[in-house]
Amino acid sequence: MTTHFPYIRAILLVLLSTLSIHMSAQDSDIRSGKLWLDDQGQHINAHGGGILQHNGTYYWYGEHKSDHTSNALVGVTCYSSTDLIHWHNCGVALSMSDRPGSDIERGCIIERPKVIYNHRTGKFCMWFHLELKDQGYGAARYGVAVSDRPEGPFEFLSSQRANPGQWPTEFDSRALAIADTLHIARYQQWWTPDWYRAVECGLFVKRDLEGGQMSRDMTLYVDDDGKAYHIYSSEDNLTLHIALLTDDYLHHSDRYTRVAPAGHNEAPAIFKRQGTYWMITSGCTGWAPNAARMFSAPCIWGPWTQHPNPCIGPRADKTFGGQSTFILPLGNDRWIFMADIWRPRHPSDARYIWLPIDFEDDKPVIRWCDEWHP
Ligand code: DGJ
């Protein structure tokens, strides 16, 4: 019996781990960082994602990632759920194109897709960060797609840079006069105090004025009054912009503001509580995690104030190994903080962090929980 014990133990361990993988698809807890199986027994493939609640169903949209590349070989995926635990794979909501030269040609980069519903038009509107095929991260565009149904198929409309020809709303005549004195050729060396001051005063806004502002990591937000906003990392990821959308949610209006100029923020996620807007972001360290940042404002147009990292506990200084992507309102003063644990060497194996947001002294705090029920 003693000689067989290691074998029996090994078999029992295999059985138990198989059982626990299957249980994770069936029980009722969220387990951040673990595999999360859909209704077909596959790890959910919806990274950098966001969630739309529509007619009692949650729709989770995200980047489909392949085993060996983060480039978009498939498109934006959609999953649906009524309990936030069990997810039905609805398939590909926005497919990549096989037409050479298409903005969304297979192999381009599509990141952080978000979908909002427009009550006036009855359309589902998807915005995402788009990098054209074989151009690295140089294009820095947003893309827009639309559908009559939440699960798609979404029709791609267009992609471009943001707000060409427009200065931020807060640029009064004094700020414009200062910007007028800034010449990009004089600031070849980055990260010097002079360069920081120039970026804060709009050096890169001016550089990109004609062709439009860069638009990378992004989210969408619909306010209580139905106005929708596109929030994105601009100015070479140095400054966040918040741009008001047109009433059909398919274009930028002319109005936008800057948040934390030269602050180097990515991965914006936003919610509103008791009249205060809270935004959680990350620093810019590629796929590697860093400490989350947090800002608040009494109005979406600012002024925005920075607060300490809202994460608490082990690995809080690395956002528990993740990077923010979305904040899901549950109602009754409850929100879920959603983040991605990237796996750049095996992109499809990237994991999800979903944690409840608590409030201490009326400020959001996020604590790690191995498992919890939403
Ligand atoms: C961090 C961003 O947040 C991600 O969406 C992705 O663009 C990576 N950088 C690429 O390095």
Side-chain angles (χ1 to χ4, degrees):
M1 176 66 194
T2 356
T3 50
H4 292 310
F5 183 70
Y7 301 107
I8 294 168
R9 191 166 165 270
I11 290 166
L12 277 174
L13 280 175
V14 169
L15 281 175
L16 275 174
S17 68
T18 314
L19 192 66
S20 73
I21 285 174
H22 284 289
M23 279 176 67
S24 67
Q26 289 157 15
D27 65 17
S28 60
D29 280 344
I30 288 178
R31 295 192 174 87
S32 293
K34 303 289 184 212
L35 284 177
W36 195 341
L37 305 188
D38 65 11
D39 60 339
Q40 296 165 8
Q42 302 294 319
H43 181 45
I44 292 172
N45 201 332
H47 309 278
I51 291 185
L52 169 73
Q53 191 184 10
H54 186 73
N55 289 343
T57 298
Y58 293 100
Y59 295 91
W60 176 355
Y61 302 89
E63 307 157 20
H64 177 278
K65 290 205 181 280
S66 306
D67 292 344
H68 304 293
T69 176
S70 273
N71 291 13
L73 300 184
V74 172
V76 176
T77 47
C78 176
Y79 293 80
S80 66
S81 172
T82 50
D83 63 6
L84 295 169
I85 308 285
H86 303 90
W87 290 92
H88 165 62
N89 184 346
C90 303
V92 183
L94 175 70
S95 297
M96 296 301 88
S97 167
D98 285 315
R99 186 173 63 77
S102 160
D103 286 3
I104 56 165
E105 184 176 351
R106 205 175 299 283
C108 67
I109 294 172
I110 289 208
E111 290 180 343
R112 301 182 177 270
K114 305 289 180 291
V115 174
I116 52 180
Y117 177 66
N118 189 306
H119 286 277
R120 290 187 199 90
T121 62
K123 303 277 184 197
F124 296 84
C125 306
M126 177 190 290
W127 288 57
F128 49 89
H129 167 201
L130 174 72
E131 297 293 348
L132 301 174
K133 192 178 175 193
D134 299 329
Q135 295 188 24
Y137 278 85
R141 293 186 184 195
Y142 67 86
V144 183
V146 71
S147 174
D148 292 327
R149 293 156 23 103
E151 61 273 52
F154 280 76
E155 179 198 354
F156 173 69
L157 296 181
S158 64
S159 83
Q160 64 181 85
R161 283 198 171 183
N163 294 301
Q166 302 293 331
W167 289 95
T169 48
E170 62 273 21
F171 271 50
D172 55 15
S173 52
R174 194 172 152 268
L176 288 173
I178 294 173
D180 199 40
T181 66
L182 302 173
H183 300 290
I184 195 82
R186 285 196 211 136
Y187 297 93
Q188 294 304 304
Q189 200 187 338
W190 283 36
W191 317 116
T192 66
D194 272 1
W195 175 89
Y196 269 111
R197 259 192 304 278
V199 173
E200 278 171 39
C201 292
L203 178 71
F204 288 174
V205 177
K206 183 180 175 186
R207 179 195 66 185
D208 295 335
L209 196 66
E210 199 181 321
Q213 304 298 316
M214 299 174 92
S215 177
R216 293 204 183 112
D217 278 13
M218 57 145 281
T219 192
L220 296 177
Y221 178 70
V222 182
D223 212 336
D224 305 333
D225 59 4
K227 290 196 185 312
Y229 300 86
H230 177 211
I231 303 170
Y232 51 96
S233 287
S234 193
E235 304 177 36
D236 272 304
N237 293 351
L238 283 154
T239 301
L240 290 162
H241 290 186
I242 301 181
L244 174 68
L245 302 189
T246 50
D247 285 350
D248 61 8
Y249 299 172
L250 297 177
H251 307 274
H252 281 157
S253 71
D254 291 344
R255 287 192 76 196
Y256 72 100
T257 189
R258 300 165 87 213
V259 179
H264 225 188
N265 285 279
E266 285 192 319
I270 188 171
F271 70 107
K272 182 160 90 168
R273 178 181 190 249
Q274 296 171 0
T276 299
Y277 296 81
W278 293 95
M279 182 150 59
I280 298 178
T281 68
S282 74
C284 300
T285 51
W287 299 113
N290 56 55
R293 289 108 178 260
M294 184 165 74
F295 301 83
S296 72
C299 164
I300 197 140
W301 298 102
W304 287 88
T305 306
Q306 187 158 5
H307 302 268
N309 178 357
C311 300
I312 295 180
R315 299 209 74 208
D317 61 334
K318 294 277 186 282
T319 317
F320 315 113
Q323 188 183 28
S324 42
T325 184
F326 195 71
I327 293 169
L328 174 66
L330 296 182
N332 297 323
D333 209 24
R334 295 172 67 229
W335 283 268
I336 299 180
F337 170 74
M338 294 168 52
D340 297 281
I341 302 176
W342 302 115
R343 296 260 163 99
R345 292 208 189 129
H346 188 178
S348 60
D349 192 35
R351 305 295 171 90
Y352 308 103
I353 293 177
W354 285 27
L355 294 170
I357 298 185
D358 292 330
F359 295 91
E360 284 178 4
D361 296 331
D362 269 344
K363 287 189 180 162
V365 292
I366 303 167
R367 285 193 186 78
W368 178 264
C369 310
D370 286 339
E371 29 184 85
W372 64 284
H373 184 74

